[in-house]
PDB file of all heavy atoms in Angstrom:
ATOM      1  N   ASP A   1       0.795  -1.179   0.048  1.00 77.00           N
ATOM      2  CA  ASP A   1      -0.013   0.056  -0.031  1.00 77.00           C
ATOM      3  C   ASP A   1       0.866   1.302   0.006  1.00 77.00           C
ATOM      4  O   ASP A   1       0.368   2.314  -0.290  1.00 77.00           O
ATOM      5  CB  ASP A   1      -1.019  -0.023   1.157  1.00 77.00           C
ATOM      6  CG  ASP A   1      -2.034  -1.063   1.076  1.00 77.00           C
ATOM      7  OD1 ASP A   1      -2.238  -1.564   0.001  1.00 77.00           O
ATOM      8  OD2 ASP A   1      -2.659  -1.448   2.183  1.00 77.00           O
ATOM      9  N   GLU A   2       2.192   1.188   0.339  1.00 83.00           N
ATOM     10  CA  GLU A   2       3.061   2.225   0.365  1.00 83.00           C
ATOM     11  C   GLU A   2       3.567   2.679  -1.134  1.00 83.00           C
ATOM     12  O   GLU A   2       3.974   3.696  -1.380  1.00 83.00           O
ATOM     13  CB  GLU A   2       4.311   2.024   1.240  1.00 83.00           C
ATOM     14  CG  GLU A   2       3.991   1.781   2.637  1.00 83.00           C
ATOM     15  CD  GLU A   2       5.331   1.373   3.388  1.00 83.00           C
ATOM     16  OE1 GLU A   2       6.334   1.720   3.061  1.00 83.00           O
ATOM     17  OE2 GLU A   2       5.088   0.786   4.511  1.00 83.00           O
ATOM     18  N   VAL A   3       3.474   1.629  -2.022  1.00 78.00           N
ATOM     19  CA  VAL A   3       4.080   1.859  -3.295  1.00 78.00           C
ATOM     20  C   VAL A   3       3.506   2.947  -4.101  1.00 78.00           C
ATOM     21  O   VAL A   3       4.256   3.687  -4.706  1.00 78.00           O
ATOM     22  CB  VAL A   3       4.098   0.478  -4.003  1.00 78.00           C
ATOM     23  CG1 VAL A   3       4.429   0.590  -5.481  1.00 78.00           C
ATOM     24  CG2 VAL A   3       4.873  -0.589  -3.357  1.00 78.00           C
ATOM     25  N   PRO A   4       2.211   3.103  -4.295  1.00 84.00           N
ATOM     26  CA  PRO A   4       1.718   4.277  -4.985  1.00 84.00           C
ATOM     27  C   PRO A   4       2.208   5.578  -4.536  1.00 84.00           C
ATOM     28  O   PRO A   4       2.555   6.436  -5.384  1.00 84.00           O
ATOM     29  CB  PRO A   4       0.115   4.168  -4.835  1.00 84.00           C
ATOM     30  CG  PRO A   4      -0.062   2.733  -4.602  1.00 84.00           C
ATOM     31  CD  PRO A   4       1.073   2.310  -3.802  1.00 84.00           C
ATOM     32  N   LEU A   5       2.475   5.825  -3.256  1.00 86.00           N
ATOM     33  CA  LEU A   5       3.004   7.100  -2.848  1.00 86.00           C
ATOM     34  C   LEU A   5       4.467   7.174  -3.201  1.00 86.00           C
ATOM     35  O   LEU A   5       4.900   8.227  -3.624  1.00 86.00           O
ATOM     36  CB  LEU A   5       2.866   7.151  -1.289  1.00 86.00           C
ATOM     37  CG  LEU A   5       3.589   8.279  -0.635  1.00 86.00           C
ATOM     38  CD1 LEU A   5       2.843   9.684  -1.155  1.00 86.00           C
ATOM     39  CD2 LEU A   5       3.369   8.332   0.899  1.00 86.00           C
ATOM     40  N   LEU A   6       5.261   6.055  -3.161  1.00 83.00           N
ATOM     41  CA  LEU A   6       6.599   6.158  -3.666  1.00 83.00           C
ATOM     42  C   LEU A   6       6.696   6.452  -5.115  1.00 83.00           C
ATOM     43  O   LEU A   6       7.539   7.106  -5.531  1.00 83.00           O
ATOM     44  CB  LEU A   6       7.249   4.690  -3.346  1.00 83.00           C
ATOM     45  CG  LEU A   6       7.462   4.536  -1.810  1.00 83.00           C
ATOM     46  CD1 LEU A   6       7.899   3.015  -1.671  1.00 83.00           C
ATOM     47  CD2 LEU A   6       8.449   5.406  -1.135  1.00 83.00           C
ATOM     48  N   PHE A   7       5.746   5.922  -5.889  1.00 82.00           N
ATOM     49  CA  PHE A   7       5.672   6.093  -7.296  1.00 82.00           C
ATOM     50  C   PHE A   7       5.446   7.685  -7.447  1.00 82.00           C
ATOM     51  O   PHE A   7       6.154   8.419  -8.246  1.00 82.00           O
ATOM     52  CB  PHE A   7       4.409   5.468  -8.050  1.00 82.00           C
ATOM     53  CG  PHE A   7       4.710   4.079  -8.331  1.00 82.00           C
ATOM     54  CD1 PHE A   7       5.995   3.434  -8.018  1.00 82.00           C
ATOM     55  CD2 PHE A   7       3.818   3.307  -8.999  1.00 82.00           C
ATOM     56  CE1 PHE A   7       6.213   2.094  -8.263  1.00 82.00           C
ATOM     57  CE2 PHE A   7       4.067   2.034  -9.354  1.00 82.00           C
ATOM     58  CZ  PHE A   7       5.230   1.375  -8.996  1.00 82.00           C
ATOM     59  N   LYS A   8       4.445   8.287  -6.715  1.00 86.00           N
ATOM     60  CA  LYS A   8       4.250   9.743  -6.872  1.00 86.00           C
ATOM     61  C   LYS A   8       5.483  10.531  -6.507  1.00 86.00           C
ATOM     62  O   LYS A   8       5.752  11.616  -7.081  1.00 86.00           O
ATOM     63  CB  LYS A   8       3.039  10.102  -5.807  1.00 86.00           C
ATOM     64  CG  LYS A   8       2.502  11.469  -5.981  1.00 86.00           C
ATOM     65  CD  LYS A   8       1.300  11.656  -5.172  1.00 86.00           C
ATOM     66  CE  LYS A   8       0.804  13.108  -5.421  1.00 86.00           C
ATOM     67  NZ  LYS A   8      -0.457  13.322  -4.523  1.00 86.00           N
ATOM     68  N   GLN A   9       6.250  10.036  -5.540  1.00 87.00           N
ATOM     69  CA  GLN A   9       7.522  10.771  -5.146  1.00 87.00           C
ATOM     70  C   GLN A   9       8.766  10.270  -6.029  1.00 87.00           C
ATOM     71  O   GLN A   9       9.836  10.796  -5.783  1.00 87.00           O
ATOM     72  CB  GLN A   9       7.815  10.421  -3.710  1.00 87.00           C
ATOM     73  CG  GLN A   9       6.743  10.869  -2.725  1.00 87.00           C
ATOM     74  CD  GLN A   9       6.924  10.287  -1.274  1.00 87.00           C
ATOM     75  OE1 GLN A   9       7.645   9.332  -1.131  1.00 87.00           O
ATOM     76  NE2 GLN A   9       6.383  11.004  -0.334  1.00 87.00           N
ATOM     77  N   LYS A  10       8.419   9.514  -7.112  1.00 88.00           N
ATOM     78  CA  LYS A  10       9.434   9.113  -8.036  1.00 88.00           C
ATOM     79  C   LYS A  10      10.549   8.278  -7.336  1.00 88.00           C
ATOM     80  O   LYS A  10      11.719   8.263  -7.771  1.00 88.00           O
ATOM     81  CB  LYS A  10      10.066  10.220  -8.868  1.00 88.00           C
ATOM     82  CG  LYS A  10       8.987  11.055  -9.684  1.00 88.00           C
ATOM     83  CD  LYS A  10       9.653  12.004 -10.468  1.00 88.00           C
ATOM     84  CE  LYS A  10       8.555  12.903 -11.146  1.00 88.00           C
ATOM     85  NZ  LYS A  10       7.667  12.201 -12.019  1.00 88.00           N
ATOM     86  N   GLN A  11      10.231   7.536  -6.256  1.00 89.00           N
ATOM     87  CA  GLN A  11      11.168   6.770  -5.547  1.00 89.00           C
ATOM     88  C   GLN A  11      11.002   5.348  -5.940  1.00 89.00           C
ATOM     89  O   GLN A  11      10.598   4.437  -5.229  1.00 89.00           O
ATOM     90  CB  GLN A  11      11.009   6.920  -4.024  1.00 89.00           C
ATOM     91  CG  GLN A  11      11.296   8.299  -3.474  1.00 89.00           C
ATOM     92  CD  GLN A  11      11.058   8.485  -1.915  1.00 89.00           C
ATOM     93  OE1 GLN A  11      11.016   7.518  -1.301  1.00 89.00           O
ATOM     94  NE2 GLN A  11      10.802   9.722  -1.526  1.00 89.00           N
ATOM     95  N   PHE A  12      11.380   5.077  -7.250  1.00 88.00           N
ATOM     96  CA  PHE A  12      11.023   3.758  -7.889  1.00 88.00           C
ATOM     97  C   PHE A  12      11.972   2.740  -7.305  1.00 88.00           C
ATOM     98  O   PHE A  12      11.577   1.470  -7.238  1.00 88.00           O
ATOM     99  CB  PHE A  12      11.195   3.864  -9.369  1.00 88.00           C
ATOM    100  CG  PHE A  12      10.232   4.982 -10.007  1.00 88.00           C
ATOM    101  CD1 PHE A  12      10.872   5.979 -10.675  1.00 88.00           C
ATOM    102  CD2 PHE A  12       8.918   4.906  -9.823  1.00 88.00           C
ATOM    103  CE1 PHE A  12       9.959   7.023 -11.167  1.00 88.00           C
ATOM    104  CE2 PHE A  12       8.088   5.715 -10.384  1.00 88.00           C
ATOM    105  CZ  PHE A  12       8.594   6.844 -11.051  1.00 88.00           C
ATOM    106  N   GLU A  13      13.221   2.943  -7.040  1.00 92.00           N
ATOM    107  CA  GLU A  13      14.090   1.941  -6.423  1.00 92.00           C
ATOM    108  C   GLU A  13      13.556   1.390  -5.106  1.00 92.00           C
ATOM    109  O   GLU A  13      13.555   0.269  -4.759  1.00 92.00           O
ATOM    110  CB  GLU A  13      15.548   2.555  -6.315  1.00 92.00           C
ATOM    111  CG  GLU A  13      16.238   2.656  -7.505  1.00 92.00           C
ATOM    112  CD  GLU A  13      16.379   1.299  -8.291  1.00 92.00           C
ATOM    113  OE1 GLU A  13      16.518   0.191  -7.518  1.00 92.00           O
ATOM    114  OE2 GLU A  13      16.254   1.291  -9.476  1.00 92.00           O
ATOM    115  N   ASP A  14      13.087   2.433  -4.241  1.00 86.00           N
ATOM    116  CA  ASP A  14      12.541   2.029  -2.903  1.00 86.00           C
ATOM    117  C   ASP A  14      11.245   1.141  -3.119  1.00 86.00           C
ATOM    118  O   ASP A  14      11.006   0.197  -2.391  1.00 86.00           O
ATOM    119  CB  ASP A  14      12.109   3.261  -2.185  1.00 86.00           C
ATOM    120  CG  ASP A  14      13.448   4.040  -1.586  1.00 86.00           C
ATOM    121  OD1 ASP A  14      14.515   3.510  -1.543  1.00 86.00           O
ATOM    122  OD2 ASP A  14      13.307   5.170  -1.262  1.00 86.00           O
ATOM    123  N   ALA A  15      10.487   1.568  -4.084  1.00 83.00           N
ATOM    124  CA  ALA A  15       9.257   0.757  -4.434  1.00 83.00           C
ATOM    125  C   ALA A  15       9.665  -0.719  -4.826  1.00 83.00           C
ATOM    126  O   ALA A  15       9.091  -1.583  -4.368  1.00 83.00           O
ATOM    127  CB  ALA A  15       8.483   1.439  -5.512  1.00 83.00           C
ATOM    128  N   LYS A  16      10.643  -0.756  -5.605  1.00 88.00           N
ATOM    129  CA  LYS A  16      11.061  -2.120  -6.122  1.00 88.00           C
ATOM    130  C   LYS A  16      11.561  -3.001  -4.963  1.00 88.00           C
ATOM    131  O   LYS A  16      11.386  -4.187  -5.045  1.00 88.00           O
ATOM    132  CB  LYS A  16      12.143  -1.903  -7.246  1.00 88.00           C
ATOM    133  CG  LYS A  16      11.470  -1.474  -8.536  1.00 88.00           C
ATOM    134  CD  LYS A  16      12.451  -1.543  -9.668  1.00 88.00           C
ATOM    135  CE  LYS A  16      13.747  -1.057  -9.578  1.00 88.00           C
ATOM    136  NZ  LYS A  16      14.656  -1.218 -10.789  1.00 88.00           N
ATOM    137  N   ILE A  17      12.157  -2.444  -4.069  1.00 86.00           N
ATOM    138  CA  ILE A  17      12.614  -3.211  -2.868  1.00 86.00           C
ATOM    139  C   ILE A  17      11.471  -3.875  -2.156  1.00 86.00           C
ATOM    140  O   ILE A  17      11.500  -5.044  -1.884  1.00 86.00           O
ATOM    141  CB  ILE A  17      13.477  -2.341  -1.869  1.00 86.00           C
ATOM    142  CG1 ILE A  17      14.736  -1.965  -2.477  1.00 86.00           C
ATOM    143  CG2 ILE A  17      13.670  -2.961  -0.547  1.00 86.00           C
ATOM    144  CD1 ILE A  17      15.548  -0.854  -1.704  1.00 86.00           C
ATOM    145  N   ILE A  18      10.408  -3.098  -2.024  1.00 85.00           N
ATOM    146  CA  ILE A  18       9.190  -3.557  -1.359  1.00 85.00           C
ATOM    147  C   ILE A  18       8.590  -4.678  -2.239  1.00 85.00           C
ATOM    148  O   ILE A  18       8.133  -5.742  -1.765  1.00 85.00           O
ATOM    149  CB  ILE A  18       8.163  -2.462  -1.095  1.00 85.00           C
ATOM    150  CG1 ILE A  18       8.739  -1.487   0.027  1.00 85.00           C
ATOM    151  CG2 ILE A  18       6.796  -3.050  -0.660  1.00 85.00           C
ATOM    152  CD1 ILE A  18       7.920  -0.226   0.180  1.00 85.00           C
ATOM    153  N   LEU A  19       8.438  -4.387  -3.486  1.00 87.00           N
ATOM    154  CA  LEU A  19       7.884  -5.357  -4.349  1.00 87.00           C
ATOM    155  C   LEU A  19       8.668  -6.695  -4.481  1.00 87.00           C
ATOM    156  O   LEU A  19       7.925  -7.680  -4.599  1.00 87.00           O
ATOM    157  CB  LEU A  19       7.687  -4.649  -5.756  1.00 87.00           C
ATOM    158  CG  LEU A  19       6.681  -3.481  -5.739  1.00 87.00           C
ATOM    159  CD1 LEU A  19       6.842  -2.700  -7.067  1.00 87.00           C
ATOM    160  CD2 LEU A  19       5.332  -4.014  -5.614  1.00 87.00           C
ATOM    161  N   LYS A  20       9.926  -6.508  -4.540  1.00 89.00           N
ATOM    162  CA  LYS A  20      10.700  -7.773  -4.662  1.00 89.00           C
ATOM    163  C   LYS A  20      10.458  -8.676  -3.343  1.00 89.00           C
ATOM    164  O   LYS A  20      10.335  -9.950  -3.409  1.00 89.00           O
ATOM    165  CB  LYS A  20      12.191  -7.339  -4.728  1.00 89.00           C
ATOM    166  CG  LYS A  20      12.530  -6.975  -6.081  1.00 89.00           C
ATOM    167  CD  LYS A  20      14.007  -6.423  -6.261  1.00 89.00           C
ATOM    168  CE  LYS A  20      14.409  -5.949  -7.506  1.00 89.00           C
ATOM    169  NZ  LYS A  20      15.905  -5.453  -7.561  1.00 89.00           N
ATOM    170  N   GLU A  21      10.408  -8.018  -2.237  1.00 87.00           N
ATOM    171  CA  GLU A  21      10.125  -8.741  -0.871  1.00 87.00           C
ATOM    172  C   GLU A  21       8.695  -9.393  -0.989  1.00 87.00           C
ATOM    173  O   GLU A  21       8.482 -10.590  -0.574  1.00 87.00           O
ATOM    174  CB  GLU A  21      10.173  -7.833   0.254  1.00 87.00           C
ATOM    175  CG  GLU A  21      11.583  -7.383   0.645  1.00 87.00           C
ATOM    176  CD  GLU A  21      12.592  -8.637   0.932  1.00 87.00           C
ATOM    177  OE1 GLU A  21      12.000  -9.528   1.612  1.00 87.00           O
ATOM    178  OE2 GLU A  21      13.650  -8.639   0.427  1.00 87.00           O
ATOM    179  N   ALA A  22       7.788  -8.664  -1.537  1.00 85.00           N
ATOM    180  CA  ALA A  22       6.306  -9.201  -1.643  1.00 85.00           C
ATOM    181  C   ALA A  22       6.315 -10.390  -2.542  1.00 85.00           C
ATOM    182  O   ALA A  22       5.683 -11.410  -2.319  1.00 85.00           O
ATOM    183  CB  ALA A  22       5.397  -8.098  -2.125  1.00 85.00           C
ATOM    184  N   LEU A  23       7.082 -10.358  -3.652  1.00 88.00           N
ATOM    185  CA  LEU A  23       7.043 -11.312  -4.647  1.00 88.00           C
ATOM    186  C   LEU A  23       7.782 -12.577  -4.120  1.00 88.00           C
ATOM    187  O   LEU A  23       7.562 -13.754  -4.575  1.00 88.00           O
ATOM    188  CB  LEU A  23       7.586 -10.891  -6.003  1.00 88.00           C
ATOM    189  CG  LEU A  23       6.765  -9.938  -6.696  1.00 88.00           C
ATOM    190  CD1 LEU A  23       7.371  -9.243  -7.893  1.00 88.00           C
ATOM    191  CD2 LEU A  23       5.371 -10.524  -7.237  1.00 88.00           C
ATOM    192  N   LYS A  24       8.815 -12.467  -3.210  1.00 87.00           N
ATOM    193  CA  LYS A  24       9.547 -13.620  -2.680  1.00 87.00           C
ATOM    194  C   LYS A  24       8.506 -14.313  -1.800  1.00 87.00           C
ATOM    195  O   LYS A  24       8.482 -15.633  -1.821  1.00 87.00           O
ATOM    196  CB  LYS A  24      10.638 -13.151  -1.773  1.00 87.00           C
ATOM    197  CG  LYS A  24      11.906 -12.774  -2.456  1.00 87.00           C
ATOM    198  CD  LYS A  24      12.904 -12.365  -1.521  1.00 87.00           C
ATOM    199  CE  LYS A  24      14.175 -11.854  -2.262  1.00 87.00           C
ATOM    200  NZ  LYS A  24      15.307 -11.475  -1.317  1.00 87.00           N
ATOM    201  N   THR A  25       7.674 -13.661  -1.103  1.00 85.00           N
ATOM    202  CA  THR A  25       6.472 -14.338  -0.221  1.00 85.00           C
ATOM    203  C   THR A  25       5.480 -14.945  -0.978  1.00 85.00           C
ATOM    204  O   THR A  25       5.127 -16.041  -0.682  1.00 85.00           O
ATOM    205  CB  THR A  25       6.001 -13.241   0.765  1.00 85.00           C
ATOM    206  OG1 THR A  25       7.125 -12.621   1.467  1.00 85.00           O
ATOM    207  CG2 THR A  25       5.115 -13.927   1.711  1.00 85.00           C
ATOM    208  N   SER A  26       5.131 -14.138  -2.085  1.00 87.00           N
ATOM    209  CA  SER A  26       3.948 -14.569  -2.911  1.00 87.00           C
ATOM    210  C   SER A  26       4.139 -14.300  -4.372  1.00 87.00           C
ATOM    211  O   SER A  26       3.870 -13.206  -4.877  1.00 87.00           O
ATOM    212  CB  SER A  26       2.675 -13.836  -2.463  1.00 87.00           C
ATOM    213  OG  SER A  26       1.579 -14.202  -3.151  1.00 87.00           O
ATOM    214  N   PRO A  27       4.882 -15.267  -4.973  1.00 89.00           N
ATOM    215  CA  PRO A  27       5.365 -14.945  -6.450  1.00 89.00           C
ATOM    216  C   PRO A  27       4.183 -14.674  -7.408  1.00 89.00           C
ATOM    217  O   PRO A  27       4.352 -14.027  -8.422  1.00 89.00           O
ATOM    218  CB  PRO A  27       5.928 -16.316  -6.837  1.00 89.00           C
ATOM    219  CG  PRO A  27       6.359 -16.938  -5.506  1.00 89.00           C
ATOM    220  CD  PRO A  27       5.314 -16.557  -4.540  1.00 89.00           C
ATOM    221  N   ASP A  28       3.005 -15.113  -7.178  1.00 90.00           N
ATOM    222  CA  ASP A  28       1.781 -14.903  -8.016  1.00 90.00           C
ATOM    223  C   ASP A  28       0.759 -13.820  -7.475  1.00 90.00           C
ATOM    224  O   ASP A  28      -0.270 -13.741  -7.946  1.00 90.00           O
ATOM    225  CB  ASP A  28       1.069 -16.227  -8.186  1.00 90.00           C
ATOM    226  CG  ASP A  28       1.768 -17.289  -8.977  1.00 90.00           C
ATOM    227  OD1 ASP A  28       2.672 -16.803  -9.738  1.00 90.00           O
ATOM    228  OD2 ASP A  28       1.377 -18.488  -8.952  1.00 90.00           O
ATOM    229  N   ASN A  29       1.401 -12.893  -6.616  1.00 89.00           N
ATOM    230  CA  ASN A  29       0.564 -11.782  -6.142  1.00 89.00           C
ATOM    231  C   ASN A  29       0.322 -10.778  -7.360  1.00 89.00           C
ATOM    232  O   ASN A  29       1.259 -10.156  -7.763  1.00 89.00           O
ATOM    233  CB  ASN A  29       1.283 -11.060  -4.959  1.00 89.00           C
ATOM    234  CG  ASN A  29       0.482  -9.944  -4.420  1.00 89.00           C
ATOM    235  OD1 ASN A  29      -0.021  -9.155  -5.160  1.00 89.00           O
ATOM    236  ND2 ASN A  29       0.405  -9.971  -3.078  1.00 89.00           N
ATOM    237  N   LEU A  30      -0.866 -10.681  -7.822  1.00 92.00           N
ATOM    238  CA  LEU A  30      -1.152  -9.957  -9.045  1.00 92.00           C
ATOM    239  C   LEU A  30      -0.861  -8.438  -8.818  1.00 92.00           C
ATOM    240  O   LEU A  30      -0.287  -7.792  -9.678  1.00 92.00           O
ATOM    241  CB  LEU A  30      -2.631 -10.170  -9.378  1.00 92.00           C
ATOM    242  CG  LEU A  30      -3.094 -11.558  -9.863  1.00 92.00           C
ATOM    243  CD1 LEU A  30      -4.501 -11.612  -9.911  1.00 92.00           C
ATOM    244  CD2 LEU A  30      -2.350 -12.018 -11.045  1.00 92.00           C
ATOM    245  N   GLN A  31      -1.164  -7.954  -7.667  1.00 90.00           N
ATOM    246  CA  GLN A  31      -0.920  -6.520  -7.356  1.00 90.00           C
ATOM    247  C   GLN A  31       0.544  -6.175  -7.362  1.00 90.00           C
ATOM    248  O   GLN A  31       0.999  -5.352  -8.012  1.00 90.00           O
ATOM    249  CB  GLN A  31      -1.541  -6.093  -5.976  1.00 90.00           C
ATOM    250  CG  GLN A  31      -1.308  -4.630  -5.654  1.00 90.00           C
ATOM    251  CD  GLN A  31      -1.720  -4.250  -4.330  1.00 90.00           C
ATOM    252  OE1 GLN A  31      -2.063  -5.200  -3.468  1.00 90.00           O
ATOM    253  NE2 GLN A  31      -1.910  -3.032  -4.015  1.00 90.00           N
ATOM    254  N   ALA A  32       1.357  -7.060  -6.663  1.00 89.00           N
ATOM    255  CA  ALA A  32       2.788  -6.888  -6.729  1.00 89.00           C
ATOM    256  C   ALA A  32       3.482  -7.021  -8.103  1.00 89.00           C
ATOM    257  O   ALA A  32       4.284  -6.237  -8.593  1.00 89.00           O
ATOM    258  CB  ALA A  32       3.496  -7.922  -5.699  1.00 89.00           C
ATOM    259  N   ILE A  33       2.946  -8.052  -8.884  1.00 91.00           N
ATOM    260  CA  ILE A  33       3.542  -8.111 -10.295  1.00 91.00           C
ATOM    261  C   ILE A  33       3.173  -6.862 -11.132  1.00 91.00           C
ATOM    262  O   ILE A  33       4.030  -6.468 -11.853  1.00 91.00           O
ATOM    263  CB  ILE A  33       2.839  -9.400 -10.940  1.00 91.00           C
ATOM    264  CG1 ILE A  33       3.333 -10.565 -10.160  1.00 91.00           C
ATOM    265  CG2 ILE A  33       3.245  -9.499 -12.369  1.00 91.00           C
ATOM    266  CD1 ILE A  33       2.395 -11.905 -10.546  1.00 91.00           C
ATOM    267  N   GLU A  34       1.931  -6.436 -11.023  1.00 91.00           N
ATOM    268  CA  GLU A  34       1.445  -5.239 -11.775  1.00 91.00           C
ATOM    269  C   GLU A  34       2.333  -4.033 -11.345  1.00 91.00           C
ATOM    270  O   GLU A  34       2.824  -3.360 -12.205  1.00 91.00           O
ATOM    271  CB  GLU A  34       0.009  -5.037 -11.609  1.00 91.00           C
ATOM    272  CG  GLU A  34      -0.484  -3.861 -12.566  1.00 91.00           C
ATOM    273  CD  GLU A  34      -1.981  -3.683 -12.411  1.00 91.00           C
ATOM    274  OE1 GLU A  34      -2.661  -4.338 -11.543  1.00 91.00           O
ATOM    275  OE2 GLU A  34      -2.487  -2.789 -13.290  1.00 91.00           O
ATOM    276  N   LEU A  35       2.444  -3.822 -10.099  1.00 90.00           N
ATOM    277  CA  LEU A  35       3.208  -2.709  -9.643  1.00 90.00           C
ATOM    278  C   LEU A  35       4.801  -2.713 -10.014  1.00 90.00           C
ATOM    279  O   LEU A  35       5.302  -1.705 -10.289  1.00 90.00           O
ATOM    280  CB  LEU A  35       3.092  -2.445  -8.117  1.00 90.00           C
ATOM    281  CG  LEU A  35       1.649  -2.072  -7.569  1.00 90.00           C
ATOM    282  CD1 LEU A  35       1.622  -2.220  -6.071  1.00 90.00           C
ATOM    283  CD2 LEU A  35       1.526  -0.564  -8.058  1.00 90.00           C
TER     284      LEU A  35
END
């Protein structure tokens, strides 16, 4: 849920760190894949 705000702030590397962790836990998480 933090990722859209990071996008708005153009902090894409920080967003990707969160997303990579989410995908490790749940590789088929549609929201994480899309983000």
Side-chain angles (χ1 to χ4, degrees):
D1 291 342
E2 297 175 22
V3 171
L5 178 60
L6 291 173
F7 281 4
K8 189 174 181 179
Q9 297 170 340
K10 301 188 184 301
Q11 297 178 19
F12 302 117
E13 287 301 322
D14 291 341
K16 288 193 310 186
I17 291 171
I18 294 173
L19 293 167
K20 286 176 182 177
E21 289 299 318
L23 289 170
K24 282 182 184 178
T25 305
S26 180
D28 290 341
N29 184 313
L30 297 174
Q31 183 186 10
I33 296 168
E34 183 175 8
L35 287 171

